[in-house]
């Protein structure tokens, strides 16, 4: 079957945006095709709403270009772009009825009355609100109000509809039905929909393509199936659906070592004995007898979820999540099998495991057995060690030596929490300070895109004097 070339309607080129010295969008590039439903997905603070607002013309990037139909539209105001926006809070006019709310944009454009009536009636039919013309919008349900907002955005015949978390105010059941309705409206009208959400299920349900963002960058773009089945890294795998993400070692092409066992996989090109992240979806694990299992574990928990059982299985120190139509008794020992195709291998999010600091000793107190060095403008005190002043050190801190200061007084005042990924034993947390990134292990679930004071436990560190 011949593939038709899709026409690009919007292009973002090298978009950079910062606010108060904080990078919001870090040189992103994105092409959006005509008539497709694209969802921009990511945690709070990742830059997705900023991206939407730049496309809509509500804010201007610090640098980079926005193209619409191959024409650069930087500086073009929102009302001059063939784009309409549906906000989370709908912004309907409470004193106007349904008809007048939908007709508002057409009246501003001085469209003839007869044409307004025809277009509004047709649009209300499209969003399944035929017969609601004279209703007060304040008397409508949340889902009906949302459909009025969509009708108002569509009636002026824009090429692109921007939707900023428009289902956020609805209850769960209504949100699920509106996901299907939105996709249906998009297919009926053949408009380009650009949808922003932090809800993974919404993205997977509605989208032709999903753009996964984190920390101001685009991590991956692909179909919902690609994003779920072939995540590019541990952040995407963790953010999209449930996953077992484990530390592994790529022994050689198609051979992976996880939890002390060597298994067959299908991935190549990672090199020999390379540390990697391994993703196994819960539904891809087959329960078997211990003697037939590639891995063996003890069932700690089992919950019936309607379609499947959700089981937590202890495998050494690691917790493995399994979704299965078969249940196993709590406390029983089971075997676990995974076919090679369902073992996904990815590069580590960071190219290092231990945190290394190169420092110069600024002050040393032999009597009280401590020394000081400077790090990113802060004076750091290390107790229980002394080195000669002006000597240069390499200090190696394992991830377990880092923690957030509960008293608010850390060695570094504010570090940015870039990602939090559960690895079966603990959370691996990537942090960013002014000059570098750090890897930390924690048993608590921290909120990404926030700041916290960072503390070092130098009793876990190793120190090496650098000559010269």
């Amino acid at each position: 079957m011949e593939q038709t070339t899709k026409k690009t309607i919007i292009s973002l080129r090298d978009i950079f945006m910062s606010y108060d010295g904080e990078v919001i969008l870090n040189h992103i590039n994105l092409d959006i095709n005509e008539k497709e439903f694209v969802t921009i997905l990511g945690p709070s603070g990742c830059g997705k709403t900023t991206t939407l607002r730049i496309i809509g013309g509500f804010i201007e990037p610090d640098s980079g270009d926005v193209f619409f139909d191959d024409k650069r539209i930087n500086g073009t105001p929102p009302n001059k772009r063939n784009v309409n926006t549906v906000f989370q809070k709908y912004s309907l006019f409470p004193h106007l009825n349904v008809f007048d709310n939908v007709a508002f944009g057409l009246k501003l454009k001085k469209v003839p009355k007869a044409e307004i009536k025809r277009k509004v009636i047709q649009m209300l039919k499209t969003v399944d609100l035929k017969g609601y013309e004279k209703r007060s919008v304040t008397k409508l349900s949340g889902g009906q109000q949302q459909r009025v907002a969509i009708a108002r955005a569509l009636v002026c015949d824009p090429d692109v509809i921007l939707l900023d978390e428009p289902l956020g105010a609805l209850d769960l059941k209504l949100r699920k039905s509106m996901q299907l309705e939105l996709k249906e409206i998009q297919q009926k009208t053949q408009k380009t929909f650009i949808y922003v959400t932090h809800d993974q299920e919404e993205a997977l349900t509605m989208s032709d393509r999903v753009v996964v963002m984190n920390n101001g960058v685009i991590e991956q773009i692909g179909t919902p199936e690609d994003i779920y089945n072939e995540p590019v890294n541990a952040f995407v795998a963790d953010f999209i659906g449930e996953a077992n993400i484990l530390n592994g070692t790529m022994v050689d092409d198609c051979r992976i070592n996880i939890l002390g066992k060597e298994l067959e996989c299908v991935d190549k090109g990672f090199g020999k004995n390379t540390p990697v992240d391994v993703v196994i979806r819960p539904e891809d694990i087959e329960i078997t007898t211990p003697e037939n299992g590639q891995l063996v574990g003890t069932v700690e928990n089992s919950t019936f979820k309607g379609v499947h059982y959700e089981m937590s299985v202890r495998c050494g120190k690691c917790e493995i999540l399994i979704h299965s139509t078969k249940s196993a008794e709590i406390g029983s020992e089971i075997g676990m099998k995974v076919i090679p195709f369902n073992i996904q291998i990815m590069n580590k999010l960071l190219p290092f495991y231990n945190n290394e600091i190169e420092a110069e000793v600024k002050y040393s107190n032999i009597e009280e057995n401590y020394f000081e060095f400077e790090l990113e403008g802060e004076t750091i005190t290390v107790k229980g060690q002394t080195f000669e002043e002006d000597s240069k050190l390499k200090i190696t801190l394992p991830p377990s030596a880092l923690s957030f200061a509960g008293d608010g007084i850390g060695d570094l005042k504010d570090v940015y929490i870039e990602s939090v990924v559960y690895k079966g034993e603990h959370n691996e947390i990537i942090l960013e300070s002014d000059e570098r990134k750090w890897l930390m292990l924690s048993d608590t679930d921290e909120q990404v895109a926030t700041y916290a004071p960072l503390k070092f436990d130098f009793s876990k560190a190793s120190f090496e004097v650098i000559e010269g």
Side-chain angles (χ1 to χ4, degrees):
M1 197 169 92
E2 274 186 49
Q3 276 201 318
T4 54
T5 308
K6 292 177 180 173
K7 182 189 172 191
T8 300
I9 191 166
I10 286 173
S11 288
L12 303 182
R13 287 286 167 265
D14 201 29
I15 298 291
F16 181 84
M17 185 86 200
S18 63
Y19 183 74
D20 278 350
E22 182 186 335
V23 175
I24 309 297
L25 294 175
N26 197 358
H27 300 284
I28 68 165
N29 293 283
L30 176 62
D31 287 333
I32 292 166
N33 298 322
E34 198 174 42
K35 300 178 184 177
E36 74 172 341
F37 197 125
V38 173
T39 298
I40 303 175
L41 174 71
S44 297
C46 71
K48 56 189 185 293
T49 294
T50 301
T51 304
L52 201 76
R53 290 173 66 79
I54 285 172
I55 293 169
F58 299 106
I59 52 176
E60 286 293 316
D62 297 344
S63 62
D65 295 311
V66 183
F67 293 94
F68 193 104
D69 269 345
D70 295 328
K71 182 185 172 188
R72 188 176 180 274
I73 57 167
N74 294 51
T76 305
N79 62 325
K80 300 288 186 188
R81 300 184 182 200
N82 203 10
V83 172
N84 263 346
T85 306
V86 178
F87 298 101
Q88 185 175 344
K89 292 184 178 169
Y90 311 149
S91 304
L92 299 176
F93 302 112
H95 62 288
L96 299 179
N97 63 22
V98 169
F99 183 97
D100 289 334
N101 262 282
V102 176
F104 187 79
L106 296 173
K107 288 177 179 176
L108 281 181
K109 292 184 173 183
K110 297 191 167 43
V111 173
K113 273 188 180 180
E115 193 179 340
I116 290 176
K117 185 175 181 182
R118 181 182 61 77
K119 285 189 169 184
V120 172
I121 298 297
Q122 179 59 42
M123 193 48 64
L124 288 175
K125 185 180 174 186
T126 300
V127 299
D128 203 20
L129 285 176
K130 187 182 176 186
Y132 281 72
E133 294 84 357
K134 291 188 164 54
R135 292 271 187 102
S136 166
V137 290
T138 59
K139 301 284 171 64
L140 300 179
S141 70
Q144 289 167 337
Q145 288 183 358
Q146 204 229 25
R147 291 206 291 270
V148 172
I150 291 165
R152 186 179 61 183
L154 284 165
V155 78
C156 293
D157 200 31
D159 290 318
V160 178
I161 298 288
L162 308 178
L163 302 107
D164 190 5
E165 306 227 27
L167 305 185
L170 305 180
D171 64 55
L172 181 62
K173 193 173 178 184
L174 187 53
R175 202 158 69 231
K176 285 178 180 291
S177 69
M178 281 306 302
Q179 289 169 12
L180 301 175
E181 286 190 36
L182 264 178
K183 181 64 182 171
E184 198 177 307
I185 290 166
Q186 187 265 334
Q187 288 173 337
K188 272 186 197 170
T189 58
Q190 289 290 289
K191 300 295 181 187
T192 300
F193 275 36
I194 307 173
Y195 190 97
V196 157
T197 186
H198 63 273
D199 187 307
Q200 302 92 322
E201 188 186 337
E202 281 182 11
L204 296 175
T205 300
M206 297 188 292
S207 315
D208 298 317
R209 285 192 304 150
V210 180
V211 179
V212 184
M213 291 188 70
N214 185 38
N215 202 36
V217 300
I218 293 172
E219 298 280 1
Q220 187 171 358
I221 302 172
T223 65
E225 292 85 356
D226 290 341
I227 299 286
Y228 187 83
N229 293 324
E230 299 285 344
V232 293
N233 59 35
F235 169 80
V236 176
D238 187 53
F239 195 73
I240 305 288
E242 292 186 279
N244 296 292
I245 304 174
L246 309 169
N247 291 314
T249 303
M250 201 74 188
V251 180
D252 206 339
D253 283 353
C254 303
R255 300 298 298 173
I256 182 73
N257 188 303
I258 50 171
L259 301 174
K261 301 285 183 180
E262 197 170 303
L263 306 181
E264 188 183 341
C265 61
V266 297
D267 291 275
K268 299 178 180 180
F270 286 84
K272 293 189 178 185
N273 299 316
T274 308
V276 290
D277 283 329
V278 181
V279 172
I280 303 172
R281 295 289 182 186
E283 65 272 19
D284 290 333
I285 300 173
E286 181 192 345
I287 295 175
T288 183
T289 56
E291 55 271 21
N292 288 329
Q294 295 160 306
L295 301 170
V296 176
T298 304
V299 179
E300 291 192 328
N301 217 324
S302 180
T303 307
F304 182 55
K305 293 281 189 175
V307 178
H308 61 255
Y309 292 90
E310 182 172 285
M311 282 168 277
S312 175
V313 179
R314 180 64 53 187
C315 188
K317 290 182 179 178
C318 192
E319 178 190 13
I320 303 285
L321 188 68
I322 301 176
H323 291 169
S324 174
T325 52
K326 292 194 296 184
S327 180
E329 280 187 34
I330 293 172
S332 66
E333 194 174 61
I334 62 167
M336 293 169 275
K337 284 172 75 175
V338 188
I339 64 169
F341 181 78
N342 287 331
I343 300 173
Q344 306 293 330
I345 314 297
M346 300 168 304
N347 286 312
K348 290 276 187 188
L349 286 168
L350 285 179
F352 60 84
Y353 186 72
N354 288 318
N355 303 282
E356 293 183 354
I357 302 169
E358 290 200 1
E360 187 176 303
V361 178
K362 293 296 182 187
Y363 175 74
S364 189
N365 189 318
I366 296 170
E367 287 179 13
E368 296 185 28
N369 196 24
Y370 75 88
F371 74 93
E372 294 176 348
F373 69 93
E374 297 284 317
L375 180 67
E376 298 190 13
E378 302 287 343
T379 299
I380 310 292
T381 302
V382 180
K383 295 176 181 175
Q385 292 273 359
T386 55
F387 294 93
E388 284 185 21
E389 288 181 12
D390 299 327
S391 59
K392 291 183 170 57
L393 301 176
K394 182 171 89 170
I395 306 170
T396 302
L397 284 155
S400 59
L402 275 60
S403 64
F404 293 129
D407 57 5
I409 303 166
D411 293 305
L412 292 178
K413 285 176 184 167
D414 279 317
V415 293
Y416 182 77
I417 302 173
E418 186 176 300
S419 78
V420 180
V421 176
Y422 182 59
K423 289 290 188 74
E425 294 180 57
H426 43 242
N427 289 307
E428 277 192 7
I429 300 177
I430 295 177
L431 308 167
E432 187 172 27
S433 61
D434 288 345
E435 294 176 13
R436 58 164 294 164
K437 294 192 178 186
W438 306 86
L439 182 65
M440 171 179 140
L441 304 183
S442 174
D443 292 329
T444 57
D445 203 10
E446 302 293 341
Q447 179 63 51
V448 295
T450 57
Y451 291 84
L454 181 62
K455 190 166 66 176
F456 302 119
D457 180 356
F458 288 103
S459 69
K460 296 179 178 178
S462 64
F463 300 85
E464 180 188 340
V465 177
I466 303 170
E467 300 298 333

